[in-house]
Amino acid sequence: MDWKTLQALLSGVNKYSTAFGRIWLSVVFVFRVLVYVVAAERVWGDEQKDFDCNTRQPGCTNVCFDHFFPVSHIRLWALQLIFVTCPSLLVIMHVAYREDREKKNREKNGENCPKLYSNTGKKHGGLWWTYLLSLFFKLIIEILFLYLLHKMWDSFDLPRLVKCSKVDPCPNTVDCYIARPTEKRVFTYFMVGASSICIVLTVCEIFYLIFKRVVRSAQKWKKSTKRSASYSKASTCRCHLKTEEKDNKSQTRCVA
């Protein structure tokens, strides 16, 4: 997997992200992708070769390994990182769509024509909804993969001894031993902790976006109410002036 290409694609999201989004991207690449590439792949490189069982029954060791490791940690984390970072590409695609519309508008109506968007990367209108939807996708994916990891391996734990029973072709209960369980447990907890931090950052960014949108809507509503109030005051003042002018004219006629 070429992580540099993925990083180059997602680095463009920083231009459209909030502060929470920039921190999230830093945590993903520093504490997850970098640790995955540098250390995690080496730690799990010998998981099947050094998975020893106290039996000579042909196929029993492979079946017990498959029973306890239905999906490898390292492959599950690779899928998680890919699926978690993909929703950010929706934002880049939406901005590219806006830029393409702006370009076609200039080609059709000239360079001095009115712009369709004041800023193609500003989170207003449809782009705001796309950005918010990408955050919900990230949150769902992170929680789903943590649940899978917890479900497959009880409480993210990797015991030294695994008892394999009632699994063909193993004749009886077979004791199997995992290679370097303490080191693998440490890396598992580290990746789970980094994923939890990303979940917290995503939730904070969702609340921040919604709060900012509500505040902006409240400010617009206040401005509109002030304008309507000032307009009504001006209209009533004009009515009073017109009635006073009519009264003055009637009085002068009576005196004459």
Side-chain angles (χ1 to χ4, degrees), residues 1-254:
M1 180 181 294
D2 192 358
W3 294 106
K4 290 183 180 179
T5 305
L6 184 62
Q7 184 178 8
L9 284 172
L10 293 176
S11 59
V13 183
N14 272 336
K15 295 185 288 185
Y16 319 115
S17 298
T18 63
F20 292 106
R22 295 185 186 97
I23 297 171
W24 177 87
L25 196 61
S26 301
V27 171
V28 167
F29 280 106
V30 175
F31 294 103
R32 298 177 73 176
V33 174
L34 193 61
V35 171
Y36 175 88
V37 173
V38 173
E41 283 185 327
R42 296 179 182 178
V43 172
W44 266 267
D46 58 350
E47 56 182 341
Q48 187 169 5
K49 187 178 77 172
D50 294 338
F51 186 80
D52 292 330
C53 298
N54 61 348
T55 182
R56 294 292 182 180
Q57 177 70 30
C60 182
T61 302
N62 290 334
V63 170
C64 288
F65 179 82
D66 183 67
H67 178 72
F68 189 73
F69 290 99
V71 180
S72 174
H73 283 67
I74 203 71
R75 293 178 182 87
L76 192 66
W77 287 334
L79 284 174
Q80 183 181 10
L81 289 171
I82 291 170
F83 283 122
V84 162
T85 51
C86 279
S88 299
L89 299 178
L90 292 173
V91 180
I92 298 176
M93 291 170 64
H94 198 143
V95 174
Y97 168 73
R98 282 186 166 189
E99 290 174 351
D100 185 62
R101 281 195 66 194
E102 197 69 62
K103 181 181 177 182
K104 288 179 179 178
N105 182 48
R106 287 197 303 269
E107 290 175 354
K108 184 179 180 181
N109 301 317
E111 292 293 332
N112 297 323
C113 65
K115 291 184 176 181
L116 297 175
Y117 308 98
S118 58
N119 184 359
T120 55
K122 201 167 184 179
K123 292 185 288 296
H124 284 304
L127 186 59
W128 186 88
W129 287 104
T130 302
Y131 193 89
L132 187 67
L133 191 64
S134 70
L135 293 178
F136 277 110
F137 280 152
K138 289 179 190 177
L139 188 63
I140 292 170
I141 291 168
E142 291 277 19
I143 294 173
L144 180 62
F145 273 92
L146 282 183
Y147 173 76
L148 287 175
L149 196 66
H150 181 273
K151 193 73 176 176
M152 290 180 182
W153 300 279
D154 189 22
S155 300
F156 315 111
D157 190 27
L158 286 171
R160 290 181 174 86
L161 174 63
V162 179
K163 290 188 177 292
C164 187
S165 61
K166 297 180 181 179
V167 178
D168 293 332
C170 299
N172 301 308
T173 300
V174 178
D175 295 336
C176 298
Y177 301 90
I178 300 172
R180 295 187 288 181
T182 303
E183 190 175 5
K184 291 177 179 178
R185 189 184 301 118
V186 169
F187 273 97
T188 301
Y189 288 151
F190 180 85
M191 296 296 279
V192 169
S195 181
S196 302
I197 292 171
C198 289
I199 289 174
V200 173
L201 289 171
T202 305
V203 171
C204 291
E205 192 171 11
I206 289 172
F207 279 109
Y208 172 75
L209 281 176
I210 294 174
F211 175 77
K212 195 173 179 181
R213 185 68 175 264
V214 170
V215 170
R216 191 182 293 117
S217 300
Q219 288 175 350
K220 287 182 180 179
W221 181 75
K222 285 182 180 179
K223 287 180 181 178
S224 62
T225 53
K226 284 181 180 179
R227 287 175 183 174
S228 61
S230 61
Y231 178 77
S232 61
K233 285 181 181 179
S235 60
T236 52
C237 291
R238 286 172 186 171
C239 291
H240 284 302
L241 287 172
K242 287 180 180 179
T243 52
E244 286 178 358
E245 287 175 358
K246 288 180 180 179
D247 291 337
N248 291 331
K249 287 179 180 179
S250 62
Q251 286 177 3
T252 52
R253 286 175 184 172
C254 292

